[in-house]
Each structure stands twice: as structure tokens, then as C-alpha cells.
Amino acid sequence: MIPEGLQYSSIENIVSKIKSLGMNVIRLTYAIEMIDDIYENGSDVLLEQTFINALGNSSGTAVYNSVIEQNPQFNNRTTRLDVFDAIASECYKQQIWIHLDNHVSKAQWCCSETDGNAWFGDTYFNISNWQRGLQYMATYGASWGNLMSMSLRNEPRSPSDNQTLVSESYNWADWYTHVVTASGLINDVNPDVLIFFSGLSYDTYITPIPSGESLRDNYVFNKSSFTYENKIILELHNYANSATSCSDLESTLYTDGFSSLNSSDPSVVNVLPMVMTEWGYSQDNTTYQGVYTTCLQEYLPSLQAGWMIWVLAGSYYIRSGTQDYDETWGLLNHDWSAWRSPAAIENNIVPMVEATLG
């Protein structure tokens, strides 16, 4: 539940690397479990204990000591949210916005259809706790000065190991009920923040929302029914890395939800901003030249659509049980000291940022 890489680098250095790309926002993920802990214990968990809980006493203590060495502003009184505060403060200093992303309920690697975090009411996805957590973070982050936006939930998906929940609830009508309630709760406590609505099937499509079609049970999404319609943003993820045709990929993206940007399309009822909050590829010296990458490099800026890439992290404290896990898709190398693929940065990422921001 701690942002990655702090055992290898200072927050200032990591944010400076992001800034050097010309990027103006980070997607800062968190687990509802963190807020649950605060309510259950009456206070946040200390940083050292968090690492010990995740990595064991020996490894956890060693990583904690490395984090303190790299980030001497932290000490034995530092909590998890103190780390979030420090990241937000440095981003504010370097003029970078914060997008808070509720990634999971139970803190673990995401995502699968059997991880208990998949859908409203899943094993770990307590709806009331989720709503409480969103409100808590919307209120907490308001003091940062650079909290721009919040997601409602990362990659809603079918909970395939719970067929009763699938048959009774995995549909657009239930999605509508829950996201309308949750977005309203956020807006109640922080009316300035933008609210990102993610689609189904790992957030790969949100087709019924731009088109305003029936969502079942007489539910229809109409942006004018929201008092905060100017705060609603749609988001999609895409990992069509095997794409062989750019025109086919563009057509699929348009159907999946990027139609929301086209005010001249008569089939689009709800014209809304769209952001691709996840896309990415292996950071080697050739993959960036493929159809998928070069297509998105041209397509997204042409629409003036925002985007966030997965992933900055060169390694993780722990992923799926493996400590110090190497992330080959990470923009940074394993020890966060340099770009993993300078060629991909120079030829894909930086030009795409420049084209997007104009």
C-alpha cells in the first residue's frame, strides 16, 4: 500500500524524471483496505510496519531502512498517508497534477476475475467500504492543492468464480446504480475534483454511455441528469499489443467509447471527455516501433485525448508473492535510476507527450 520505488530513489528524483518527459499528471493508486485500516484502528499504519506486514520482518525492515536512506524526511513516525502527502507535495512543487485511482479493495496485485476485487459485492469488494473510502480520499486529497481527478474503480470485470454474482449483478444497470451513487458522494465532499467513470470487461469498453442506450431496467445514462456533468470524464484501458492494422484499432477504440469525443456524430448522445488511463508495452528497443504503439502515438493526440501509460515502475516491492519483482514494461529500469529503453522514451513517449499537450 506504499507507492513503489522509494527504496531505490527519492520522491524528488522520481518526480523529476516524470517532469523531464513533459508529463503533467501521475496516476496515484490506492487500496480501500488502507482506509478500512484507519477506521478500524483509529489511525493510519506506520510505514515500517507496513513493509514488515507485506515483506516479513527481515526483508520489510531492510526495505524500510533503504526507503529512509533515500527519503530522509521520513522516520519511525511516518504513516502510509504521510507518504502520499509527500508525493503530492513534490508533484505540486514541480507542477504535476494528481489523479487518485482506486485500484483495488484488498491490497494485492491486480487484476483477475478471481481475485475477489472484480465487481461490486465480490469477496473483498464491500460496497459500503468502497463508498466510504472514495469519500475519505476525496476529502483528504483536497488539501494537496493539485488533486485534479479521481477514478471510481480500476477495471471493473466479471467475477468469474462467483456465478451467482455474475448472473445477478454483472451488467450495466448495476454499474449505473453504483457509479452514480459513488460519484455523487465524491462530489458532495469535493465538488472541484473531476470524476472518472470506467467501463466493463477490465475497462476496455464503455460503449453504452456515449450512445445513451438503455442499460436495462429502464436505466439510461444522460449526463444532463447530473448536477456535476462538467466533472464527468470517461476512461478506457487498451492493451491490443498484437494489433496489425492501425485503422482497425482506431475503429475498435471509437466503438468502445472514444466516440464520446465526437460532437458531430448523431449517434453520440453524451459528448464527454475521454482519457486512456492505461496502455503500455514492453520497454525494449523494438516494441515501440510496432503498429499498436505507433498507432496510439498518432491517434490519441489527434483527438486531443489525455492518456496515462502503464507503467513508470521499474520494479515492485512485491508482486504475486515475488519480492523485488522486475517490471519489463516499466519506463524506469529495475533500480529506478534510468530509463529502461531510452529509444522508446526518445521516439515514442516524449514525442507523444509533446503532440498531446501541443
Side-chain angles (χ1 to χ4, degrees):
M1 284 183 270
I2 302 297
E4 306 287 348
L6 301 184
Q7 81 277 44
Y8 287 122
S9 185
S10 68
I11 291 172
E12 180 181 4
N13 285 341
I14 294 171
V15 175
S16 294
K17 284 183 171 64
I18 297 169
K19 186 69 175 180
S20 74
L21 300 175
M23 291 184 173
N24 63 1
V25 64
I26 66 166
R27 184 170 177 246
L28 186 58
T29 65
Y30 68 96
I32 295 298
E33 184 180 351
M34 179 170 68
I35 296 92
D36 291 345
D37 289 344
I38 293 170
Y39 277 98
E40 290 170 11
N41 301 327
S43 61
D44 197 6
V45 178
L46 294 173
L47 181 60
E48 182 176 14
Q49 190 61 52
T50 300
F51 281 117
I52 291 173
N53 291 345
L55 306 175
N57 188 72
S58 178
S59 296
T61 301
V63 170
Y64 166 75
N65 288 334
S66 295
V67 170
I68 298 301
E69 181 179 355
Q70 294 290 339
N71 299 271
Q73 72 271 36
F74 298 150
N75 54 48
N76 60 7
R77 297 182 302 277
T78 299
T79 66
R80 297 171 299 186
L81 282 177
D82 288 336
V83 177
F84 278 66
D85 289 341
I87 292 170
S89 176
E90 185 60 37
C91 284
Y92 183 88
K93 178 181 176 182
Q94 298 200 40
Q95 298 183 309
I96 292 177
W97 297 101
I98 301 291
H99 171 75
L100 270 179
D101 172 65
N102 173 224
H103 217 62
V104 289
S105 289
K106 181 178 174 57
Q108 59 184 4
W109 176 252
C110 183
C111 300
S112 81
E113 294 185 349
T114 59
D115 61 9
N117 283 305
W119 188 252
F120 312 99
D122 203 357
T123 306
Y124 305 119
F125 197 160
N126 181 290
I127 297 169
S128 296
N129 288 15
W130 167 66
Q131 294 170 348
R132 180 180 68 178
L134 292 175
Q135 276 205 311
Y136 186 95
M137 293 304 291
T139 302
Y140 189 88
S143 64
W144 292 338
N146 56 342
L147 177 59
M148 173 192 67
S149 53
M150 295 181 64
S151 78
L152 295 175
R153 186 70 171 197
N154 176 65
E155 297 192 348
R157 53 201 177 275
S158 174
S160 62
D161 59 345
N162 187 338
Q163 285 304 307
T164 299
L165 186 61
V166 172
S167 62
E168 293 180 355
S169 177
Y170 184 65
N171 56 66
W172 283 105
D174 275 34
W175 172 92
Y176 180 89
T177 298
H178 294 305
V179 301
V180 169
T181 300
S183 61
L185 291 171
I186 290 175
N187 186 256
D188 285 345
V189 297
N190 190 338
D192 295 324
V193 75
L194 303 174
I195 305 170
F196 281 46
F197 288 55
S198 53
L200 270 60
S201 190
Y202 292 87
D203 191 21
T204 55
Y205 81 104
I206 198 164
T207 309
I209 306 311
S211 64
E213 62 193 75
S214 173
L215 304 178
R216 207 182 77 171
D217 299 337
N218 296 317
Y219 287 114
V220 174
F221 189 98
N222 189 332
K223 69 176 184 179
S224 64
S225 66
F226 295 82
T227 58
Y228 47 94
E229 66 173 282
N230 64 335
K231 302 297 183 183
I232 297 174
I233 313 291
L234 304 184
E235 65 167 308
L236 283 178
H237 294 178
N238 184 274
Y239 289 105
N241 298 81
S242 60
T244 57
S245 166
C246 184
S247 60
D248 287 350
L249 177 57
E250 290 179 0
S251 177
T252 297
L253 288 171
Y254 189 87
T255 301
D256 288 342
F258 273 83
S259 59
S260 73
L261 295 168
N262 189 357
S263 59
S264 63
D265 185 339
S267 70
V268 176
V269 174
N270 296 300
V271 176
L272 289 163
M274 171 66 76
V275 176
M276 185 175 285
T277 48
E278 276 193 30
W279 69 286
Y281 56 96
S282 178
Q283 290 295 300
D284 52 44
N285 291 324
T286 58
T287 303
Y288 74 89
Q289 302 174 59
V291 170
Y292 168 73
T293 306
T294 56
C295 185
L296 291 182
Q297 182 176 346
E298 297 295 326
Y299 182 63
L300 295 179
S302 75
L303 299 175
Q304 295 186 305
W307 53 273
M308 304 170 191
I309 192 165
W310 184 272
V311 61
L312 178 71
S315 55
Y316 303 105
Y317 302 120
I318 185 170
R319 171 175 164 176
S320 302
T322 301
Q323 296 188 19
D324 200 29
Y325 186 102
D326 188 58
E327 176 53 87
T328 58
W329 285 33
L331 298 186
L332 291 169
N333 61 8
H334 187 92
D335 67 3
W336 295 61
S337 63
W339 303 121
R340 187 175 291 263
S341 171
I345 296 295
E346 179 181 350
N347 294 291
N348 173 238
I349 301 301
V350 170
M352 191 170 172
V353 171
E354 293 174 346
T356 301
L357 298 179

